[in-house]
Amino acid sequence: MKKIIYSSLLILFIWNGSKALAQSDMISYGLNKTLPQANNLNPAILPDYKFSFGLPGLSGFHINTAQNFTNLELLNTKDEDGSLNSNNILSAIKRNNRISSNNNINLFHLGIRGLTSYTAVSINTRTTARVSLPREFFQFAVLGNASDELKDGLLDLNRFSTKLMGYTEIGVSHGREILGGKMTAGIRIKYLIGHGYADIKNFDARLRTYGNKDFRGDSLAIDVNQFDIRTAGIAASVSDEDFESDDIRSSLLSNGGFGLDLGATYEFSRKIRFFASLNDLGFINWNSQYATKLAVPSFQYNFSGIDVVELINGEDISVINDFDSVINDLEIAETTDESFATSLTARIYAGASYQLSRRQTASAILYSELYRGTLIPAFTGMYNFQAGTFFNFAFSATLMNGRVNNFGTGVTLNLVPFQIVLATNDLLSIVNPMQGRAVDFRFGINHTFGNVNKGKTRAKKNSKNTIDTIDLGID
């Protein structure tokens, strides 16, 4: 029983520590010519800088969280009596409700641009989290278990699942122009160091309250089918009763794996360009020494009420003792010292851009990821204004999580040799938090040098020995 408590508390702790994150990083695609970290989205992107690097604590972070079912304004609505309007809240709740989370800290970045190629080395620490909550979970929280709005008094929680993972990736990428410069192709190979993993899937539980239309509450039946709790790395280590401080370093660093990113761009015409990338193809193999699986067996419990006499006399409540006995008698199968592998959540970006003018571009981008057999898509329209490597601005509108008004913006400002990056994929959550469904923010300082598009200062003289043009190298 302690194992279940420790593992459940750990999952909640990891989730609460990483929940200020999530969804796709669309805005970085709009800043790809000047943002070195945009190469992480597509290794075929060749930035305009000749050389760039970022250091720990400076090169930045990206935090993000998103959900698809409510906002703060809805949670503050009142009914005619001044009470919380539960009907409005529940009407917005979907059958399947998702909370997704991604966090990225760029520890190091080094990029070198050649005339027709770009090579980069990067180190990122990432955490990801996904939680799926059935509509009945919110019905139980708002209405209780005896509401007439519950069909046959049944609460079905079989669509609940959660998955959390933290790891560091060390990647080397190379992108190069091919087909006479009309196309670029890129690849990134990553070594992965798994830090922690926690997972509950296939959770199947039902809570039924019996009674009739006049009174529902005669008795209560709880029916839980077998489910598994799997932890690894630091998540398994700290939930172990024999945990020692020396285990922290080993559990954080002894899990290895590999990842792969692929990307390409194609210049269809002078104004139209297509691009696509497939990211996070890979796995992490979790060390058997720090891997645990708990198989919780099926159990049932029927509750018919509390003996009032026991309550008045201050005696032990027999029904509570009975429930404790059911839980304590569960034969939980614990499997340890058994290595297993988990895959990364693969992500796909695909889109096209149209050159409006020398400095302005419009783009359309489709993003998708696959989680638990469910395809989670997003579509973005983006405008970009770029003044050389000095200033780059992007503005986007994204359809995601059932919302069309998901706006984002970002800028890079080059103050030689420092570049400041500020970006968000959900502007609404900053300017109007009550309407927002996501929190998204990117900040960083990079060191950038040179511009592959800037020619050297030169003077061309015409046949009369006069200066025809002067290129001052200012874009």
Side-chain angles (χ1 to χ4, degrees):
M1 185 61 189
K2 289 183 178 180
K3 285 285 186 179
I4 297 180
I5 295 174
Y6 290 151
S7 299
S8 301
L9 289 176
L10 184 65
I11 289 174
L12 291 173
F13 173 77
I14 295 175
W15 172 247
N16 288 327
S18 64
K19 70 179 181 180
L21 351 157
Q23 80 175 6
S24 60
D25 189 12
M26 295 292 201
I27 202 67
S28 292
Y29 246 111
L31 302 172
N32 68 81
K33 284 295 186 180
T34 59
L35 179 62
Q37 287 81 7
N39 182 259
N40 291 328
L41 299 178
N42 188 336
I45 289 177
L46 310 184
D48 288 345
Y49 291 111
K50 294 181 179 179
F51 178 76
S52 64
F53 71 89
L55 299 174
L58 288 178
S59 55
F61 59 87
H62 179 209
I63 60 174
N64 176 292
T65 188
Q67 45 82 16
N68 70 336
F69 51 88
T70 190
N71 55 51
L72 292 178
E73 185 175 63
L74 186 63
L75 295 178
N76 284 324
T77 58
K78 305 293 184 180
D79 58 20
E80 296 178 354
D81 299 326
S83 303
L84 185 67
N85 197 326
S86 58
N87 290 330
N88 279 359
I89 295 175
L90 290 178
S91 65
I93 300 299
K94 303 176 183 295
R95 182 175 182 271
N96 292 310
N97 304 276
R98 297 188 303 271
I99 305 173
S100 61
S101 167
N102 296 288
N103 182 44
N104 183 65
I105 301 175
N106 185 215
L107 299 177
F108 176 77
H109 177 89
L110 174 66
I112 302 174
R113 173 71 193 271
L115 186 62
T116 60
S117 65
Y118 180 70
T119 302
V121 177
S122 61
I123 302 176
N124 298 283
T125 293
R126 300 171 59 181
T127 61
T128 64
R130 300 289 186 273
V131 173
S132 296
L133 299 170
R135 175 183 172 85
E136 289 80 2
F137 177 87
F138 298 94
Q139 288 179 317
F140 177 70
V142 175
L143 303 176
N145 63 294
S147 172
D148 293 335
E149 296 187 30
L150 300 178
K151 186 177 180 180
D152 298 326
L154 178 65
L155 280 167
D156 193 343
L157 304 176
N158 67 348
R159 293 185 303 279
F160 171 80
S161 68
T162 182
K163 178 181 179 181
L164 310 101
M165 181 163 58
Y167 61 96
T168 292
E169 59 179 30
I170 303 172
V172 178
S173 69
H174 182 75
R176 176 172 292 275
E177 293 181 0
I178 57 177
L179 301 180
K182 290 186 67 65
M183 183 176 181
T184 63
I187 184 173
R188 176 181 294 103
I189 300 175
K190 301 182 288 188
Y191 176 69
L192 309 177
I193 303 173
H195 302 316
Y197 179 84
D199 184 10
I200 298 177
K201 61 181 179 180
N202 301 325
F203 184 80
D204 185 4
R206 293 172 178 81
L207 176 67
R208 184 185 294 275
T209 304
Y210 293 94
N212 53 50
K213 64 180 181 178
D214 296 322
F215 176 74
R216 186 174 298 280
D218 292 341
S219 61
L220 190 72
I222 301 173
D223 186 1
V224 179
N225 290 327
Q226 178 180 328
F227 66 95
D228 298 333
I229 302 176
R230 173 164 272 177
T231 57
I234 187 66
S237 181
V238 299
S239 62
D240 191 339
E241 296 177 358
D242 299 324
F243 168 75
E244 297 180 2
S245 58
D246 294 339
D247 294 328
I248 295 178
R249 184 177 182 276
S250 296
S251 62
L252 283 171
L253 303 177
S254 62
N255 314 285
F258 292 94
L260 184 69
D261 298 341
L262 301 172
T265 71
Y266 179 74
E267 186 178 311
F268 180 76
S269 66
R270 189 173 62 89
K271 290 182 174 292
I272 300 175
R273 180 182 294 270
F274 296 99
F275 51 85
S277 62
L278 181 57
N279 297 349
D280 293 334
L281 298 172
F283 67 93
I284 296 176
N285 191 54
W286 299 96
N287 191 327
S288 60
Q289 186 177 354
Y290 304 103
T292 301
K293 177 182 176 182
L294 300 177
V296 181
S298 301
F299 68 91
Q300 294 80 35
Y301 179 74
N302 293 314
F303 172 71
S304 300
I306 296 176
D307 190 329
V308 179
V309 175
E310 294 177 342
L311 190 62
I312 295 175
N313 293 335
E315 302 174 4
D316 290 340
I317 308 300
S318 57
V319 68
I320 296 179
N321 293 334
D322 292 343
F323 183 73
D324 286 342
S325 297
V326 171
I327 299 300
N328 291 328
D329 291 342
L330 291 177
E331 296 182 359
I332 300 174
E334 179 180 0
T335 304
T336 59
D337 299 328
E338 185 176 289
S339 177
F340 65 94
T342 56
S343 61
L344 304 182
T345 300
R347 297 174 295 144
I348 301 173
Y349 290 89
S353 63
Y354 181 81
Q355 195 77 28
L356 300 172
S357 68
R358 187 168 67 93
R359 299 184 185 277
Q360 300 179 85
T361 305
S363 304
I365 307 171
L366 176 66
Y367 165 85
S368 187
E369 68 178 49
L370 186 65
Y371 172 69
R372 303 283 198 208
T374 300
L375 198 64
I376 305 174
F379 180 79
T380 293
M382 188 173 301
Y383 167 81
N384 169 250
F385 176 86
Q386 181 180 347
T389 57
F390 170 70
F391 178 76
N392 197 357
F393 168 80
F395 182 82
S396 67
T398 298
L399 171 63
M400 188 176 189
N401 293 331
R403 301 170 61 223
V404 181
N405 61 337
N406 193 13
F407 300 106
T409 188
V411 295
T412 65
L413 182 63
N414 190 14
L415 303 176
V416 185
F418 300 101
Q419 180 202 65
I420 297 176
V421 181
L422 289 170
T424 177
N425 286 284
D426 197 318
L427 188 61
L428 183 63
S429 63
I430 296 177
V431 299
N432 188 1
M434 299 299 289
Q435 284 288 339
R437 293 188 181 182
V439 176
D440 184 282
F441 185 68
R442 175 187 286 278
F443 173 77
I445 298 176
N446 296 306
H447 302 270
T448 57
F449 305 89
N451 183 350
V452 295
N453 296 320
K454 184 187 292 186
K456 295 181 179 180
T457 303
R458 64 186 185 275
K460 294 182 180 180
K461 297 184 178 182
N462 58 19
S463 58
K464 295 182 180 181
N465 200 34
T466 60
I467 296 177
D468 183 35
T469 60
I470 298 177
D471 185 354
L472 298 178
I474 300 176
D475 192 2

